[in-house]
Amino acid sequence: MKHYLFKSIIFLLALSTILSCKQNKQEYNAENALDIRFKNLKKYPVDSLAFPRSYQITKDKIKKVPSKDWTSGFYAGNLWQIYEITKDEAYKNLAKKWTAFIEKEKFNDRTHDMGFKVFCSFGNGLNHENNQEYKDIIVKSAQTLITRYNDTVESIRSWSFNKERWDFPVIIDNMMNLELLFEATKISKDSTFHKIAVKHANTTLKNHFRADNSTWHVLDYNPTKGNVRMRVTHQGINDDSSWARGQGWAIYGFTMAYRYTKDKRYLNQAKATAAFVLNHKNLPEDGIPYWDYDAPNIPNEPRDVSAGAIVASALIELYGFTKEESYLNYSKKFLKNVQTSTYILPGNIEAPFILDHSSGDWSKRAEMDEPIVYGDYYFLEALLRIKSL
Ligand code: GLY
């Protein structure tokens, strides 16, 4: 009898645990969870020298950067996009403040990251107000960016560091900066920016892709002869690997370049690299990639939500051009799977970020498996893009 009673108690305890787990799962409300995250961006103090870039959960430490950092434009972009989602003017007011802090970057010719900084901030602002000052800043930034263009290589130089190793490095990420140039031509009617963007895209198309349509990260060119000196990685696991975010930049970059040019070769490259990603044996079932498709310890490697978000956003646009359902299916799956308690930061964390599990820079062993501002940016963009279909 005693034994029977004990067994029954254990059974009831187990049942109530299962039921409460089930209930918790059902009770997880992604909309509420997102709203709480958005409010943490509203609470974050405005500071022109402290753009939130990433967050170490275990140390409760926000990495803050000045406007010259390549990621500075994403925070303002997130606020603009949250304003678009919520229509709450408080986000717009904040977006305007953070956007204004980036203006001085229009003179910064030491990097190629102008598009990330200026277009994700001022460019998003232009979606909400016809602001002449924003337009002028975009055009000035484009003028500065093209000073990095080399007519022999027919590319814009990406980085200026590592001069002992690289003569003229161009990274696949640089495709993303072309949007600023295409828009600068639309605003100013000066075709110089558009033409340089096309030259850069053509050179990237010719040299940056492997036979399987994956992309190398860094190509180093001879700036006086124009030939490729080496094809290597900087942030991937090795030179021949497929760094996940780089594949995302390629798909997004060539889809966007097709939007402005209608050049079918760009569309075909975007489709081919999308196929590489979507059919990759190491793309997990839930659609959230590991940080490098060739990372050695898969499945025990950090994911990179930012890489998935870039692809999800790009594939919604690519779906618009192709009506290829598998693109939309991926984006929907990604958005569904990141809007769960595994990926949305818990409400008790006050840092101004939305999603966990992005991976930044393996070469520095930094920001691996953390909330990162650009993961949030492309997630929000994908949400808005899918809504507007
Ligand atoms: N553009 C730098 C990165 O994607 O990490």
Side-chain angles (χ1 to χ4, degrees), residues 70 112-113 116 159 171 173 217 235 243 245 249 360-361 374:
W70 80 274
H112 72 137
D113 288 317
F116 286 123
W159 291 328
I171 62 175
D173 324 25
H217 185 201
Q235 282 161 249
W243 174 52
R245 200 158 53 255
W249 295 141
D361 191 347
Y374 46 84

Side-chain angles (χ1 to χ4, degrees), residues 164-176:
E164 61 295 343
R165 180 154 191 239
W166 298 322
D167 290 343
F168 191 96
V170 178
I171 62 175
I172 188 64
D173 324 25
N174 204 345
M175 282 299 297
M176 300 297 285

Side-chain angles (χ1 to χ4, degrees), residues 62-226:
I62 299 171
K63 181 179 162 93
K64 299 171 188 177
V65 290
S67 65
K68 71 172 187 209
D69 189 87
W70 80 274
T71 64
S72 64
F74 295 117
Y75 192 65
N78 288 346
L79 290 161
W80 283 116
Q81 295 188 104
I82 294 172
Y83 167 60
E84 199 166 335
I85 292 167
T86 62
K87 308 289 181 236
D88 177 346
E89 292 282 326
Y91 293 108
K92 184 181 178 183
N93 294 334
L94 285 169
K96 286 175 81 124
K97 286 184 186 154
W98 285 96
T99 295
F101 299 152
I102 294 166
E103 178 176 354
K104 65 175 185 287
E105 293 310 310
K106 69 185 180 189
F107 300 118
N108 183 352
D109 63 0
R110 292 185 302 276
T111 162
H112 72 137
D113 288 317
M114 197 68 98
F116 286 123
K117 290 190 274 189
V118 173
F119 202 70
C120 296
S121 52
F122 291 98
N124 264 297
L126 277 183
N127 294 336
H128 299 284
E129 50 187 49
N130 186 16
N131 184 325
Q132 189 55 44
E133 228 179 294
Y134 286 10
K135 290 181 186 171
D136 295 344
I137 290 164
I138 287 170
V139 174
K140 179 67 216 164
S141 303
Q143 282 164 355
T144 302
L145 177 58
I146 61 170
T147 61
R148 298 181 70 80
Y149 179 72
N150 176 311
D151 214 9
T152 307
V153 179
E154 299 193 324
S155 268
I156 297 162
R157 180 180 183 139
S158 290
W159 291 328
S160 298
F161 63 88
N162 253 358
K163 282 196 169 129
E164 61 295 343
R165 180 154 191 239
W166 298 322
D167 290 343
F168 191 96
V170 178
I171 62 175
I172 188 64
D173 324 25
N174 204 345
M175 282 299 297
M176 300 297 285
N177 294 307
L178 305 186
E179 191 165 5
L180 174 96
L181 297 182
F182 287 127
E183 281 296 326
T185 285
K186 282 176 78 176
I187 294 167
S188 66
K189 311 280 179 270
D190 177 352
S191 62
T192 315
F193 309 117
H194 184 105
K195 284 180 186 152
I196 286 180
V198 166
K199 291 266 190 206
H200 182 98
N202 288 344
T203 305
T204 304
L205 187 68
K206 187 167 83 185
N207 296 327
H208 239 95
F209 291 92
R210 303 181 179 113
D212 62 4
N213 288 300
S214 65
T215 172
W216 279 279
H217 185 201
V218 187
L219 258 65
D220 189 40
Y221 290 93
N222 178 328
T224 49
K225 295 192 179 131

